[in-house]
Amino acid sequence: MKSIAPDFYLLPTLLLSERLLGKIFVTWQGPGTPLLKGRIVETEAYLAEQDEASHAWRGRTQRNRAMFGPPGTLYVYFSYGCHYLANIVSEPVGSAGAVLLRAMEPVEGIAEMERRRGTRELLSLMSGPGKLTQALGIGPEHDAQSLSGPKCWLEDAPELPASCIGTSPRIGITRSTALPWRKFVKGSPHVSKTRGATGPKKGRNLLEC
DNA sequence: GCGATGATGAACT
DNA sequence: GTTCATCATCGCA
């Protein structure tokens, strides 16, 4: 499977958030370490403008400077004093739109992911934005890194049919909550679990993809 | 199965 | 001092 060309990221943020679904995110810590791969099954778009929930809403700061970098750059930041969250910067250049990676399906290097996460529950390895960064070993050293490698990159995969992509409001935010900018692969058991009014109910609405 | 809570740091008011 | 794009654990049913 080949690495995705840099111009793939030259897309409006909302469109990129859908196209990223199904792609394989890869990290590599260096010689002697296994490749860690996950299939992206859930994303959220954070736009440069008209989006109060975006870190870029109030302009450029020391923390969010990577959001203003070129498309295909990673923006990694520390949240709630405990977790790193990873975003992929989109087009247009300098406008600070980015896509938050919320959940993946483990693909390769699972034993190493289990060690990093401290669990062998496959469905708990990467089913949340803080979990997947821990499983993949993403930290502050990945902030502002390019997805052209060598520490991390994306492998291409066939584009998902629109019928497999679900949409909902974003999770865990307190502003601009009504915007339906969360995208996920319908039927995947690896999407993040929301608290409260959910839980896999019997009548699964979702198709297998 | 469910809701409440603490950990812990950086940005913001 | 408060807020926050989170997670694991605890107590209760």
Side-chain angles (χ1 to χ4, degrees):
Chain A
M1 202 59 90
K2 62 181 189 298
S3 179
I4 289 184
D7 62 6
F8 170 75
Y9 307 100
L10 294 174
L11 289 169
T13 310
L14 280 170
L15 194 52
L16 183 64
S17 70
E18 294 186 4
R19 296 280 182 85
L20 283 170
L21 295 176
K23 305 301 189 209
I24 310 295
F25 191 95
V26 188
T27 62
W28 185 58
Q29 311 291 323
T33 66
L35 290 177
L36 304 179
K37 300 187 183 183
R39 179 173 175 261
I40 300 172
V41 299
E42 182 178 347
T43 62
E44 282 178 5
Y46 286 86
L47 271 58
E49 298 172 352
Q50 313 268 305
D51 183 3
E52 294 184 55
S54 170
H55 284 175
W57 174 245
R58 288 186 173 80
R60 190 171 184 144
T61 67
Q62 179 63 23
R63 178 174 67 164
N64 71 15
R65 67 194 188 286
M67 292 183 84
F68 294 81
T73 302
L74 275 183
Y75 165 45
V76 179
Y77 76 98
F78 198 50
S79 180
Y80 290 99
C82 315
H83 308 283
Y84 290 97
L85 273 62
N87 299 251
I88 295 177
V89 177
S90 66
E91 163 60 22
V93 175
S95 75
V99 178
L100 172 68
L101 302 175
R102 281 201 58 89
M104 299 187 197
E105 170 185 341
V107 170
E108 187 177 322
I110 292 177
E112 176 67 9
M113 294 177 188
E114 290 174 340
R115 189 184 69 75
R116 289 178 177 277
R117 290 274 300 120
T119 176
R120 292 196 158 192
E121 277 299 325
L122 193 62
L123 289 178
S124 182
L125 281 185
M126 307 178 82
S127 56
K131 296 178 188 177
L132 70 89
T133 55
Q134 187 183 16
L136 292 170
I138 295 175
E141 70 277 13
H142 289 85
D143 187 38
Q145 285 271 318
S146 166
L147 281 173
S148 303
K151 293 162 96 77
C152 49
W153 61 92
L154 284 187
E155 285 181 1
D156 207 355
E159 190 170 333
L160 290 176
S163 61
C164 291
I165 299 177
T167 297
S168 82
R170 293 176 291 184
I171 294 175
I173 57 174
T174 56
R175 289 181 296 224
S176 302
T177 51
L179 300 170
W181 289 348
R182 170 176 176 253
K183 309 287 177 180
F184 57 94
V185 177
K186 285 186 186 176
S188 171
H190 296 277
V191 302
S192 64
K193 324 270 183 292
T194 55
R195 208 179 301 275
T198 18
K201 294 226 163 190
K202 48 178 179 198
R204 265 322 200 148
N205 45 337
L206 312 168
L207 307 169
E208 291 295 331
C209 281

